């Protein structure tokens, strides 16, 4: 497994745990995110989406899917920018920026790890 694939796998585990928490135990997570009680169904819906996305990341990591890793970089940076903007505009809790920062850091790590993974992928294709 390439380093970028390991990062995708572990990030997928993180997203899956976060999604599962939101879906199955929203009342435990709600106070940390400072949401009102009437937001429970939205948290569960978001949790379901994160659970699915986490599964995609785990599978792509296990399959050494370099193309998927490349395509997530722009999305992660976009999520970071939008989250920070919405947090500032609507005075959301700082917790949202922490989650956005994790996305940004993981995007930078993928950018740094991709060249070596692409090189390994190309050299393994030549051997076949």
């Amino acid at each position: 497994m390439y380093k970028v694939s390991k990062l995708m796998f572990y990030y997928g585990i993180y997203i899956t745990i976060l999604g599962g928490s939101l879906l199955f135990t929203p009342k435990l997570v709600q106070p940390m995110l400072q949401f009102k009680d009437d937001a429970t169904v939205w948290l569960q819906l978001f949790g379901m989406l994160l659970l699915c996305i986490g599964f995609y990341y785990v599978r792509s990591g296990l399959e050494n899917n370099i193309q998927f890793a490349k395509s997530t970089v722009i999305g992660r940076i976009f999520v970071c920018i939008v989250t920070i903007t919405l947090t500032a505009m609507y005075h959301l809790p700082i917790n949202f920026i922490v989650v956005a920062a994790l996305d940004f850091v993981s995007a930078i790590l993928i950018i740094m790890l991709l060249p070596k993974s692409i090189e390994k992928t190309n050299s393994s294709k030549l051997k076949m």
Side-chain angles (χ1 to χ4, degrees), residues 1-2 4-6 8-9 56-72 110 114 117-118 121:
M1 188 183 270
Y2 306 132
V4 74
S5 299
K6 287 180 184 177
M8 296 295 287
F9 176 79
Y56 299 150
Y57 275 87
V58 168
R59 288 291 303 171
S60 71
L62 291 172
E63 298 291 329
N64 287 320
N65 189 337
I66 302 303
Q67 295 305 316
F68 182 79
K70 282 171 45 175
S71 66
T72 66
I110 285 178
L114 270 173
S117 297
I118 291 170
T121 302

Side-chain angles (χ1 to χ4, degrees), residues 3 6-8 11 18 20 22 29 34 45 55 58 61 72-73 77 85 89 93 98 108 110-111 115 125:
K3 287 183 180 180
K6 287 180 184 177
L7 179 63
M8 296 295 287
Y11 185 79
L18 182 59
L22 291 171
V29 182
Q34 298 176 4
L45 182 64
F55 173 75
V58 168
T72 66
V73 171
I77 292 171
T85 302
M89 285 174 53
V98 171
I108 299 303
I110 285 178
I111 290 170
K125 285 180 184 177

Side-chain angles (χ1 to χ4, degrees), residues 52-124:
C52 291
I53 291 169
F55 173 75
Y56 299 150
Y57 275 87
V58 168
R59 288 291 303 171
S60 71
L62 291 172
E63 298 291 329
N64 287 320
N65 189 337
I66 302 303
Q67 295 305 316
F68 182 79
K70 282 171 45 175
S71 66
T72 66
V73 171
I74 292 171
R76 290 174 193 222
I77 292 171
F78 178 73
V79 164
C80 183
I81 291 168
V82 170
T83 302
I84 290 170
T85 302
L86 292 176
T87 300
M89 285 174 53
Y90 296 105
H91 307 290
L92 298 175
I94 198 78
N95 301 352
F96 290 97
I97 293 178
V98 171
V99 173
L102 287 171
D103 261 338
F104 185 76
V105 168
S106 66
I108 299 303
L109 286 172
I110 285 178
I111 290 170
M112 291 170 30
L113 294 173
L114 270 173
K116 289 182 181 177
S117 297
I118 291 170
E119 186 178 290
K120 286 181 182 179
T121 302
N122 290 338
S123 67
S124 67

Side-chain angles (χ1 to χ4, degrees), residues 40-61:
T40 301
V41 70
W42 293 108
L43 287 174
Q44 288 179 300
L45 182 64
F46 186 60
M48 183 264 314
L49 292 171
L50 285 178
L51 207 54
C52 291
I53 291 169
F55 173 75
Y56 299 150
Y57 275 87
V58 168
R59 288 291 303 171
S60 71

